[in-house]
Amino acid sequence: STTTDEAKADALCDAADACALAFGRSEAAASYYLRAMRLLPGSAPLVERACKGLQHRPRTLESLLWRKLGGDAQHASSREATVAALHGLSAVYAQRPRHAVRARAVENVLRLL
């Protein structure tokens, strides 16, 4: 029943936040976050909200962020959102010692940006 993309994205994020808190609903949460990101591809706060909501589900968050980065053809117009997604990936990889090389690679890309 919302009329603006911002309101729709906010409603989708509210649903995603609720799913992220429920046991076994992390994939649904990721789906809602991704739909919101597609409505507002340049929104860094949406990416940060998804990172916060899925911080306890690192694999789901990793998948979501890669889908965000791979599906965003407008990287030039959404630099802040791209940087936020890369920071999220770096944080996910930094939590797992066996992915230290990936964390360093993402950090190197961030330094270039």
Side-chain angles (χ1 to χ4, degrees):
S1 67
T2 59
T3 58
T4 66
D5 285 346
E6 290 82 11
K8 289 176 187 177
D10 191 46
L12 287 166
C13 284
D14 288 344
D17 291 342
C19 287
L21 294 174
F23 180 74
R25 302 278 301 166
S26 60
E27 290 297 324
S31 176
Y32 285 126
Y33 285 128
L34 189 60
R35 286 175 57 192
M37 288 179 201
R38 286 181 180 150
L39 280 173
L40 301 173
S43 175
L46 277 179
V47 176
E48 292 163 358
R49 186 171 178 181
C51 289
K52 184 178 178 186
L54 293 174
Q55 67 186 352
H56 299 296
R57 308 282 193 268
R59 290 182 185 177
T60 303
L61 178 57
E62 176 188 15
S63 175
L64 169 69
L65 292 173
W66 278 118
R67 289 186 343 212
K68 161 69 177 145
L69 289 169
D72 188 2
Q74 302 172 359
H75 288 295
S77 65
S78 62
R79 183 181 189 282
E80 293 82 15
T82 300
V83 169
L86 289 170
H87 277 295
L89 275 175
S90 177
V92 166
Y93 291 144
Q95 292 175 0
R96 298 187 259 169
R98 70 180 190 162
H99 293 302
V101 172
R102 292 180 187 179
R104 281 194 309 269
V106 172
E107 287 296 323
N108 290 340
V109 170
L110 281 167
R111 278 190 216 103
L112 291 174
L113 295 175

